[in-house]
Amino acid sequence: MPSFPFHFFCPPVQRLVSRMNANISMVTEFILVGFSHLADFQGLLFSLFLTIYLLTVVGNLLIMMLVSADAALQSPMYFFLRILSALEIGYTSVTIPLLLHHLLTGRRHIPRSGCALQMFFFLFFGATECCLLAAMAYDRYAAICKPLRYPLLLSRRVCLQLAGSAWACGAMVGLGHTSFIFSLPFCGPNAIPHFFCEIQPVLQLVCGDTSLNELQIILAAALIILCPFGLILGSYGHILATIFQIQSVAGRSKAFSTCSSHLIVVSLFYGTAIFIYIRPKASYDPATDPLLSLFYAVVTPILNPIIYSLRNADVKTALKRTIQKMGPAEM
């Protein structure tokens, strides 16, 4: 008896499979809802975010220039601070310029490839900062708890290795999460209740049961966030124990002042990141979560140069020297 292809007897099944395949790849672009519900305040929001972005870029560029030019700011602490400032510029440049474009034009579409690219770079810079903050905590630990071995523990080679590891870790996290999420089927709707392509709201649009994918994402996020955070807590536990053993009040005050700026940045960054990423997507709230993301994606980067410049005597001194050099020459 001759054999025939299955679809010869069942053309409706063949057509159904074709429609399913077409639906899976149907979404070619997304709509970033953002702050569209605040229609009467688009101009005000544009001015606000433009000002924040310019101040963030200028402030962090100033930190980078000071650290690069001033001979008194060449310790490992300021080497990491310069990288942190570069990360903050990249961090905000991934999200705010596109947000400004949406506020100015009212066009909120982003192609699927553009959404994936934005997610990659945001995760890349964010994960790199997680690791870099841990490296900065290790630097403070070595400086305060192991002062005699500090030049060896934080040599130029070690600093480069720590920075390179942070960048490599960020690249792996960004590539892994982005490729994993965008390999899942998106068959509509395509409206993202956020102002950029954040993991949780994008995951809301995936078709079918995503509980396993969600668990994998949470575990990966917990690994990249909680492991550096644990190292930071451990470092500062040793630092505090060492500080309390210092007899002089002036010595304790100086030790605390060198750590306070970093602790403030760590608290701001990790506090919101842990809440945003280490939880199931069912708890995502489109009304409040974009505001939280706004805090760590937009507000924190502008606070870092302010924190490090106002609470760091060396940076303030270097800034004064730079201003004096830029002033008119004495006759």
Side-chain angles (χ1 to χ4, degrees):
M1 182 176 180
S3 60
F4 295 92
F6 177 76
H7 68 268
F8 180 82
F9 290 101
C10 303
V13 175
Q14 179 72 12
R15 287 195 297 270
L16 178 61
V17 171
S18 299
R19 282 200 302 270
M20 290 175 62
N21 291 333
N23 287 336
I24 289 175
S25 59
M26 183 177 62
V27 175
T28 59
E29 66 176 13
F30 297 97
I31 300 173
L32 291 170
V33 176
F35 303 100
S36 58
H37 60 290
L38 302 174
D40 296 333
F41 300 96
Q42 299 298 292
L44 179 61
L45 290 173
F46 177 84
S47 301
L48 176 62
F49 288 125
L50 178 61
T51 303
I52 290 176
Y53 180 63
L54 293 177
L55 290 176
T56 300
V57 173
V58 171
N60 283 287
L61 279 176
L62 180 60
I63 293 291
M64 295 172 65
M65 291 170 57
L66 285 174
V67 172
S68 299
D70 199 290
L73 302 180
Q74 300 304 310
S75 66
M77 171 181 166
Y78 297 107
F79 169 78
F80 292 126
L81 178 58
R82 182 171 54 183
I83 298 176
L84 178 63
S85 295
L87 286 174
E88 300 294 24
I89 293 174
Y91 206 49
T92 52
S93 297
V94 171
T95 56
I96 297 185
L98 183 62
L99 174 60
L100 293 174
H101 172 73
H102 292 165
L103 291 170
L104 186 64
T105 64
R107 295 171 58 94
R108 304 180 183 277
H109 296 78
I110 181 172
R112 179 169 172 157
S113 58
C115 188
L117 199 62
Q118 186 184 53
M119 181 180 291
F120 165 76
F121 278 108
F122 187 80
L123 293 172
F124 168 56
F125 288 122
T128 302
E129 184 165 338
C130 280
C131 299
L132 186 71
L133 289 174
M136 295 175 75
Y138 174 69
D139 167 72
R140 292 298 83 206
Y141 160 77
I144 295 175
C145 301
K146 308 287 183 181
L148 298 180
R149 299 183 59 199
Y150 180 63
L152 178 63
L153 294 176
L154 269 297
S155 64
R156 182 70 176 178
R157 180 180 178 182
V158 172
C159 290
L160 291 173
Q161 289 175 342
L162 289 173
S165 299
W167 287 105
C169 183
M172 288 189 295
V173 170
L175 185 61
H177 274 308
T178 304
S179 59
F180 179 71
I181 289 177
F182 282 89
S183 65
L184 300 174
F186 294 90
C187 51
N190 66 338
I192 301 175
H194 214 289
F195 64 93
F196 71 97
C197 292
E198 177 70 287
I199 287 183
Q200 292 288 9
V202 172
L203 195 62
Q204 297 273 341
L205 304 181
V206 173
C207 300
D209 181 18
T210 61
S211 56
L212 180 60
N213 312 111
E214 178 187 349
L215 179 61
Q216 292 173 327
I217 291 173
I218 291 176
L219 290 176
L223 181 66
I224 193 58
I225 293 175
L226 294 183
C227 285
F229 188 55
L231 292 175
I232 292 172
L233 292 179
S235 296
Y236 275 100
H238 287 287
I239 289 171
L240 289 175
T242 302
I243 289 176
F244 287 131
Q245 293 176 2
I246 299 176
Q247 298 298 323
S248 66
V249 177
R252 287 197 298 269
S253 177
K254 182 178 179 180
F256 271 121
S257 66
T258 61
C259 300
S260 59
S261 299
H262 183 253
L263 275 175
I264 294 172
V265 172
V266 167
S267 301
L268 292 173
F269 183 82
Y270 277 97
T272 50
I274 290 173
F275 180 79
I276 288 291
Y277 290 104
I278 307 178
R279 57 174 181 162
K281 75 170 186 177
S283 63
Y284 176 79
D285 186 355
T288 60
D289 280 41
L291 297 177
L292 292 173
S293 297
L294 191 68
F295 184 80
Y296 74 83
V298 177
V299 177
T300 302
I302 195 177
L303 291 179
N304 284 354
I306 297 175
I307 293 170
Y308 277 104
S309 61
L310 294 181
R311 298 186 63 86
N312 190 297
D314 292 336
V315 173
K316 287 190 289 186
T317 303
L319 182 59
K320 290 178 182 178
R321 283 196 295 264
T322 302
I323 294 175
Q324 290 172 353
K325 290 178 182 179
M326 294 173 61
E330 295 183 1
M331 299 298 293

